[in-house]
């Protein structure tokens, strides 16, 4: 089983890297993802580290890439993912990438700027053209015959005086033409009239096509105005007012010919500008193409480079400044692979001296590494969510693969619901490689998808427990014929039809021969689902079942502790901790399990009136009293129980004092050897700095160290050991009682689930069967829809999550606190994970 | 409860037809109701789960997952067998019988037997 049973052996190692090939060595190691690097310069700030210049360069390049990506996005293109994963670039390549990216960014900036200015000019020219064209309507001579009729303007005043008439007047008519925002037209008009008192004639007409507003970018239908006025001062006033209103004013030529000239000139300009703009757009597209092609690779390369330099920053230089030393946590079985990688990288970078790795001894607790595949990863993650296993302690995950879905299924037992859950998980598992499922962004979906194997097993076990509970969407199935014979009872008690009519409910008596014909071979008898007192029977059955399964589960947890004691060579704990614990558990609660089974086997309907109550016996056992009305289950019960209670009580002080006394005695015996040992340890201190591992709430230093190698490595306080052991004893003994009761939630939740599904059936689905005609068939469709939706929402999702949570709690607390410490930290190897780029 | 009785009676009618062909055990009162033995299911299921939990682990092919698969087989066998055993033992010697409504009695009497 190797890795899943307990975590792998991890050792501390030192890498000796030559400066020239350090970069390629780290790159090779990163590609393989084997080692976790430790920071050898923790007191150095990030700005003073060795390779800070390179890191800064990478960050600048990343800034350029961000700009390029923004430009791509603005143009509506999405940069695709990198097809294959390129390796980190060497210095020359990196320089080239930097130059190219900056050059492209520069080009992009220039091109976008020129495009913006071209567009602005084009817009101006077109506006001027429109102004002139519309202005023609008011100021030109009547249209020559054959020209197309002009459309009538929207807001037309009386036609302005024809300038050809102006020679008849003393004053000269001038024009102001321009473009104004449509919302400001009325205000403009009013102000003009008030300011100039009728010495002008203004006309407004909408532009035939909408144009972009340079400020906001919206497309607006501008309004062209043409104001004819006489008098210089009026002209100035008008210009000031139009400035105020942010109008674009154009020069309006006075004579007809100059106007037509201007129009033709403007046409020419528009032509030129359009051509230039097209060329610019084409060039921009080319630049964007180049960017889109190169950007993904560059991003990956630069990200890898930055990661490598960050790791190199953690290494320290040796005295001769030629060699980099890195401290790593390395799984022992990967050491040869690491050596291989170093050799390859040295060869590639062309250095003559090889880099090598050397294992160093350490007193620190190494990180935990448990290798999982796609199936076991889900189960390992729910164990890790509570606490990562301490180094090389027994891992509860391989057992949780089955016990967790099983305990879930006890609370969820229903064939129909289990089948739905199983099919849902099966779909996810069969299509797990499809990119559509894998790349979902919804977090809730991803949570379900990650746990697909878990849900698959939960569904499968729920089908099994559903068959045992004999529940399929709350209905019982009679696969085998029922064990209870109603006819025999009816014949025996002469239940005639009149007798039945007068008695609304009657009980079958198992004392009558032939009524009960042997236990139903697989599961609960289907007659109980028809009985009105079915809860009486089921509650008793489920409570006893919960207690039995709970005690078995906890006993298994205590037994797993044996593997820990043996592995860490703490054999004294076998006798001083495991033995009292198991005696306590079995003497009291193992005996309870025995009583339950004994009563099931020995007592039947014949003595149902005097059947003893296990609960009263159990309580009396603790209180050393007896109840006259409660008959003993077997002869000699009282002395047996007394012995068991005394045995259990005797094991408590052994558990409380055994280990501390043993350690104290050992310390006394090895007191002479202590000074020699501390000298040897003092040498190693500067090289290996202590690291505070993340402790869980329940663990103390004693646990962390006993999870390691020798417990007398540091100077331990006897009071602390004793206190810790006292807490452990109280926790264990009280915990046995309370945890056994806690397993009753198996009963409670399965009862809740059964009742909910029964309510759903009787209140919702059964109403669809009222009509037996065709109309009834049509009514059944929406009723079934409601039933299906409520089943999925309430029974599958809500009850499923609830049972999942309670199963999780039972594992984390009741099972794991019998043997699990969970004070470790995970090995996070340095690797270029594909998740880091989006 | 009438509809309930009717639905389950229809199902058990099918069940009735299914095992009518199996003719094992004693036949009494004209209706083919058989007594359930306790020993037969015990032996069968113990053998089955024993096969799964004790015999099958020897046949798991060697590979990196051998340990995990063996653990899974043994745990499954223990859990499922224990659960079934509790269910059958709890019903082996019932201290009281089911209390049925008169409609149920009427239907079951004439449809199940």
């Amino acid at each position: 089983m190797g890795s899943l049973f307990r975590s792998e052996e991890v050792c501390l190692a030192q890498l000796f890297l030559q400066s020239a090939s350090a970069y390629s060595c780290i790159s090779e190691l990163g590609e393989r993802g084997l080692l976790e690097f430790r920071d050898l310069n923790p007191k150095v700030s990030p700005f003073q580290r060795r390779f800070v210049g390179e890191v800064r360069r990478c960050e600048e390049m990343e800034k350029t890439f961000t700009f390029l990506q923004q430009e791509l996005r603005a143009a509506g293109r999405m940069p695709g993912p990198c097809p294959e994963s390129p390796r980190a670039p060497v210095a020359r390549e990196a320089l080239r990438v930097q130059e190219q990216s900056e050059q492209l960014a520069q080009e992009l900036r220039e091109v976008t700027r020129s495009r913006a200015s071209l567009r602005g000019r084009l817009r101006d020219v077109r506006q001027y053209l429109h102004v002139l064209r519309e202005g023609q309507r008011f100021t030109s001579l009547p249209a020559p015959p054959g020209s197309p009729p002009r459309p009538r303007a929207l807001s037309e005043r009386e036609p302005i005086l024809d300038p050809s008439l102006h020679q008849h007047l003393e004053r000269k008519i001038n024009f102001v033409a321009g473009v104004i925002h449509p919302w400001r037209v009325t205000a403009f008009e009013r102000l003009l009239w008030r300011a100039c008192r009728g010495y002008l004639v203004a006309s407004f007409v909408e532009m035939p096509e909408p144009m972009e507003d340079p400020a906001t970018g919206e497309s607006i239908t501008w309004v062209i105005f043409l104001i004819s006025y006489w008098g210089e001062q009026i002209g100035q006033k008008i210009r000031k007012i139009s400035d105020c209103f942010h109008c674009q004013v154009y020069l309006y030529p006075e004579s007809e010919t100059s106007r037509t000239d201007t129009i033709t000139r403007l046409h020419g300009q528009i032509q030129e500008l359009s051509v230039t703009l097209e060329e610019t757009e084409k060039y921009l597209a080319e630049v964007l193409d180049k960017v889109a092609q190169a950007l993904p690779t560059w991003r990956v390369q630069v990200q890898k480079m930055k990661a490598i330099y960050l790791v190199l920053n953690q290494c320290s230089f040796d005295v001769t400044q030629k060699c980099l030393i890195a401290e790593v946590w390395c799984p022992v079985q990967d050491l040869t692979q690491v050596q291989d990688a170093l050799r390859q990288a040295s060869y590639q970078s062309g250095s003559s001296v090889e880099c090598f790795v050397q294992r160093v001894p350490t007193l620190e607790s190494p990180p935990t590494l448990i290798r999982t595949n796609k199936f076991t990863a889900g189960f390992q993650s729910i164990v890790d969510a509570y606490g990562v296993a301490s180094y090389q302690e027994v891992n509860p995950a391989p057992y949780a693969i089955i016990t967790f879905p099983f305990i879930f299924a006890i609370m969820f037992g229903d064939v129909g619901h289990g089948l739905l859950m199983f099919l849902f998980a099966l779909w996810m598992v069969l299509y797990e490689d499809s990119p559509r499922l894998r790349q979902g962004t919804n977090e809730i979906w991803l949570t379900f998808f990650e746990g697909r194997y878990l849900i698959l097993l939960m569904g499968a076990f729920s089908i099994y427990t559903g068959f045992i509970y004999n529940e399929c969407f709350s209905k019982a199935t009679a696969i085998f014929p029922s064990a209870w014979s109603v006819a025999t009872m009816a014949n025996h008690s002469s239940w005639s039809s009149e007798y039945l009519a007068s008695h609304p409910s009657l009980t079958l008596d198992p004392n009558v021969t032939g009524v009960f014909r042997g236990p139903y071979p697989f599961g609960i008898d289907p007659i109980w689902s028809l009985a009105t007192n079915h809860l009486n029977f089921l509650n008793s059955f489920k409570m006893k079942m919960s207690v039995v399964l709970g005690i078995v589960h906890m006993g298994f947890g205590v037994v797993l502790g044996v593997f820990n004691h043996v592995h860490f060579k703490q054999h004294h704990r076998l006798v001083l901790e495991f033995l009292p614990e198991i005696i306590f558990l079995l003497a009291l609660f193992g005996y309870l399990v025995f009583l339950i089974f004994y009563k099931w086997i020995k007592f039947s309907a014949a003595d149902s009136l005097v059947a003893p109550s296990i609960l009263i016996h159990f309580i009396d056992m603790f209180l050393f009293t007896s109840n006259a009305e409660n008959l003993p289950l077997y002869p000699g019960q009282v002395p047996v129980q007394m012995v068991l209670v005394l045995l259990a009580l005797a094991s408590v002080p052994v558990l409380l004092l055994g280990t501390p006394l043993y350690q104290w005695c050992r310390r006394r015996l090895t007191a002479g050897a202590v000074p020699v040992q501390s000298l040897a340890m003092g040498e190693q201190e500067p090289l290996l700095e202590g690291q505070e591992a993340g402790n869980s709430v329940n663990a103390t230093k004693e646990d962390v160290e006993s999870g390691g190698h020798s417990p007398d490595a540091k100077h331990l306080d006897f009071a602390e050991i004793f206190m810790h052991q006292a807490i452990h004893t109280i926790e264990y003994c009280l915990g046995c009682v309370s945890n056994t009761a806690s397993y009753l939630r198996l009963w409670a939740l399965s009862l809740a689930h059964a009742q909910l599904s029964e309510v759903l059936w009787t209140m919702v689905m059964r109403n669809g069967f009222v009509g037996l005609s065709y109309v009834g068939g049509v009514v059944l469709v929406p009723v079934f829809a409601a039933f299906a939706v409520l089943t999925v929402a309430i029974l599958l999702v809500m009850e499923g999550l609830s049972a999942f949570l309670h199963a999780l709690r039972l594992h984390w607390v009741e099972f794991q606190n019998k043997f699990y410490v969970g004070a470790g930290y995970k090995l996070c190897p340095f690797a270029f994970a594909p998740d880091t780029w989006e | 409860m009438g509809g309930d009785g009717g639905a389950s009676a229809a199902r058990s009618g099918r069940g009735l037809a299914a095992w009518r062909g199996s003719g094992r055990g004693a036949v009494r009162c004209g209706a083919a109701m058989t007594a359930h033995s306790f020993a037969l299911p015990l032996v069968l299921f113990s053998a089955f789960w024993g096969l799964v939990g004790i015999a099958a682990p020897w046949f798991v092919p060697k590979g990196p997952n051998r340990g995990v698969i063996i653990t899974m087989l043994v745990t499954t066998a223990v859990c499922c067998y224990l659960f079934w055993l509790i269910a059958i033992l709890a019903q082996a010697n019932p201290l009281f019988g089911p209390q049925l409504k008169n409609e149920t009695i009427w239907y079951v009497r004439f449809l199940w037997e």
Side-chain angles (χ1 to χ4, degrees), chain A residues 1 4 373 375 399 402-403 406 461 464-465 468-469 475-476 481-487 490-491 495 500 503-508 510 516-519 521-525 528 530-533 537 541 545 548-549 597 600-601 603-605 608, chain B residues 1 3-5 8 11-12 15 19 24 28 33-38 41 45 49 64-65 67-68 71-72 75-76 79-102 104-106 108-109 112-113:
Chain A
M1 178 143 31
L4 202 62
N373 54 24
F375 177 71
Y399 320 104
I402 295 293
T403 56
F406 180 66
F461 274 102
Y464 179 77
T465 55
I468 301 263
Y469 286 151
K475 297 279 110 196
S482 169
W484 294 83
S485 166
V486 176
N491 292 340
W495 288 346
L500 285 180
H503 288 80
S505 72
L506 293 160
T507 312
L508 298 178
F516 174 67
R517 309 175 194 227
F522 188 70
I524 304 284
D525 201 298
W528 287 108
L530 303 173
T532 45
N533 65 344
F537 170 71
F541 157 67
M545 173 231 0
V548 170
L549 287 173
F597 277 97
W600 274 340
I601 296 174
F603 286 81
S604 68
S608 62
Chain B
M1 270 303 201
D4 223 352
S8 61
R11 252 200 315 277
S12 56
W19 59 255
R24 67 183 152 99
R28 50 166 86 219
M33 278 301 290
T34 61
H36 293 299
S37 75
F38 180 58
F45 279 100
W49 290 117
N65 296 323
V68 176
T71 311
M72 282 171 65
T75 328
T76 313
C79 288
C80 293
Y81 179 65
L82 189 60
F83 198 58
W84 167 82
L85 188 67
I86 293 174
I88 197 170
L89 281 178
Q91 294 176 101
N93 298 312
L95 295 174
F96 59 92
Q99 182 183 42
L100 302 167
K101 281 168 56 175
N102 49 5
T104 315
I105 296 176
W106 199 89
V108 167
R109 177 182 186 175
W112 274 10
E113 309 173 46

Side-chain angles (χ1 to χ4, degrees), chain A residues 572 576 657-674 712 716 718 721:
Chain A
H572 64 275
L576 295 172
L657 297 170
T659 314
L661 278 178
Y662 173 83
Q663 284 185 347
W664 188 59
C665 288
R666 256 190 84 182
R667 184 93 48 69
R668 283 266 292 268
L669 289 173
T670 60
V674 169
D712 46 357
L716 287 172
F718 177 65
I721 304 176

Side-chain angles (χ1 to χ4, degrees), chain A residues 19 23 46-47 49-62 89-92 94-95 98 301-313 317:
Chain A
S19 316
Y23 181 86
F47 303 106
R49 296 203 186 211
R50 191 98 190 182
F51 296 95
V52 66
E54 274 83 357
V55 174
R56 237 186 238 141
R57 210 169 60 144
C58 294
E59 281 174 357
E60 274 173 23
M61 278 200 268
E62 280 184 342
V90 294
R92 265 197 318 270
L95 205 59
Q98 191 178 14
Q301 283 181 323
V302 169
Q303 256 164 346
K304 284 191 180 177
M305 200 162 112
K306 185 167 162 192
I308 294 176
Y309 277 116
L310 287 175
V311 165
L312 281 174
N313 271 340
F317 269 86

Side-chain angles (χ1 to χ4, degrees), chain A residues 154-201:
Chain A
L154 290 173
S155 64
E156 218 182 45
R157 305 293 166 102
E158 55 271 10
I160 300 171
L161 290 172
D162 191 10
S164 57
L165 299 174
H166 82 277
Q167 56 254 45
H168 301 291
L169 302 167
E170 289 104 31
R171 300 184 208 100
K172 184 172 176 266
I173 292 185
N174 299 310
F175 295 96
V176 171
V179 167
I180 183 175
H181 197 283
W183 296 347
R184 304 192 190 115
V185 169
T186 33
F188 189 49
E189 271 190 76
R190 211 175 302 142
L191 193 55
L192 278 176
W193 194 87
R194 286 204 189 123
C196 310
R197 284 172 213 204
Y199 280 96
L200 57 77
V201 182

Side-chain angles (χ1 to χ4, degrees), chain B residues 8-77:
Chain B
S8 61
R11 252 200 315 277
S12 56
R14 270 200 304 281
L16 202 73
W19 59 255
R20 224 184 249 277
S22 65
R24 67 183 152 99
V27 177
R28 50 166 86 219
C29 302
M33 278 301 290
T34 61
H36 293 299
S37 75
F38 180 58
L40 183 65
L42 188 64
V43 166
L44 276 176
F45 279 100
S46 307
F48 174 69
W49 290 117
L51 215 71
V52 169
I54 304 174
W58 295 103
F59 295 101
V60 176
K62 285 210 198 313
N65 296 323
R66 181 158 203 255
V68 176
I69 296 179
I70 292 178
T71 311
M72 282 171 65
L73 283 172
V74 174
T75 328
T76 313

Side-chain angles (χ1 to χ4, degrees), chain A residues 594-663:
Chain A
F594 164 75
L595 283 181
I596 292 175
F597 277 97
Y598 188 81
K599 186 176 171 188
W600 274 340
I601 296 174
K602 272 296 181 180
F603 286 81
S604 68
D607 28 21
S608 62
L609 287 173
V610 297
S613 157
I614 296 182
L615 201 54
I616 310 268
H617 273 301
F618 199 59
I619 296 173
D620 286 343
M621 176 168 125
F622 280 108
L623 299 178
F624 290 105
T625 58
S626 68
N627 208 331
E629 290 150 7
N630 207 12
L631 295 178
L633 280 153
Y634 56 90
Q637 182 176 358
V638 174
V640 167
Q641 284 180 179
M642 209 160 11
V643 167
L644 287 173
V645 173
L646 288 174
L647 204 59
L649 286 178
S651 67
V652 174
V654 176
L655 186 60
L656 179 66
L657 297 170
T659 314
L661 278 178
Y662 173 83
Q663 284 185 347

